Amino acid sequence: MKLTFEYTWPYERMMRDIYLSECPFCQQDNVLTSFKEEQLNLAQEGIKQILIMPCCHGKLTILNADDDYFYTDEKLRGQS
């Protein structure tokens, strides 16, 4: 599967916390996730991780990560 921009979602790190500026499911702003530093490191190594959104319980399957984006198995952008 080729990872394209439509399958990405940005995240931010503040100290040891992982935030999403907006939930891809319910659009809540500034979501503090339960994602841990260890999980982020595994995702950056290409090991699949699951993130359950605390705001709406949407499930994000993270296939990979870089310093700015999660790469998922679900199209999150360009939806109507």
Side-chain angles (χ1 to χ4, degrees), residues 10-62:
Y11 73 91
E12 297 177 30
R13 293 166 71 177
M14 297 182 105
M15 305 295 276
R16 296 187 64 92
D17 294 329
I18 310 287
Y19 285 87
L20 299 184
S21 59
E22 180 182 68
C23 175
F25 305 110
C26 72
Q27 287 72 49
Q28 180 172 319
D29 290 333
N30 300 316
V31 180
L32 172 60
T33 71
S34 60
F35 215 60
K36 305 287 184 225
E37 190 83 18
E38 297 78 27
Q39 290 173 284
L40 178 59
N41 291 337
L42 290 171
Q44 289 175 331
E45 292 174 20
I47 300 170
K48 181 168 64 171
Q49 301 294 307
I50 303 295
L51 172 59
I52 304 296
M53 299 304 297
C55 44
C56 65
H57 304 287
K59 179 176 132 181
L60 202 58
T61 302
I62 300 167

Side-chain angles (χ1 to χ4, degrees), residues 55-80:
C55 44
C56 65
H57 304 287
K59 179 176 132 181
L60 202 58
T61 302
I62 300 167
L63 303 177
N64 207 324
D66 61 21
D67 290 336
D68 299 306
Y69 290 94
F70 290 135
Y71 296 83
T72 71
D73 67 348
E74 183 176 353
K75 188 174 183 179
L76 302 171
R77 301 170 185 270
Q79 302 178 55
S80 327

